[in-house]
Amino acid sequence: MSFNLEQMLREKRALRDRLAARPIAEKLRMLDALRERTLTIHIARSPKTNAIRDEPPDLGKHHPTS
């Protein structure tokens, strides 16, 4: 497998430009969706969690089983 670094960097810049051009409301919806995904993943990885917590997970700490 070979990688074309120049192409990857061009595509990354193009994606960033497309994201930057989106309206703020759409960016906020995307952020909400990412938070939901993060919370779902956190809950799935947490063996002692039976319910969704009111506060956001502490993503700065590593999971004890990782």
Side-chain angles (χ1 to χ4, degrees), residues 7-46:
Q7 180 183 359
M8 290 171 60
L9 293 174
R10 280 192 306 273
E11 290 172 359
K12 187 174 184 177
R13 171 53 53 201
L15 174 61
R16 287 179 176 174
D17 290 344
R18 287 192 307 272
L19 290 173
R22 291 182 180 191
I24 189 70
E26 186 176 347
K27 292 175 188 176
L28 292 172
R29 282 191 296 273
M30 293 168 62
L31 180 59
D32 286 341
L34 288 171
R35 285 185 181 143
E36 287 293 323
R37 285 178 49 192
T38 300
L39 183 58
T40 300
I41 291 168
H42 178 74
I43 290 170
R45 293 187 69 204
S46 181

Side-chain angles (χ1 to χ4, degrees), residues 41-54:
I41 291 168
H42 178 74
I43 290 170
R45 293 187 69 204
S46 181
K48 296 181 182 179
T49 303
N50 293 325
I52 296 176
R53 297 183 228 162
D54 289 335

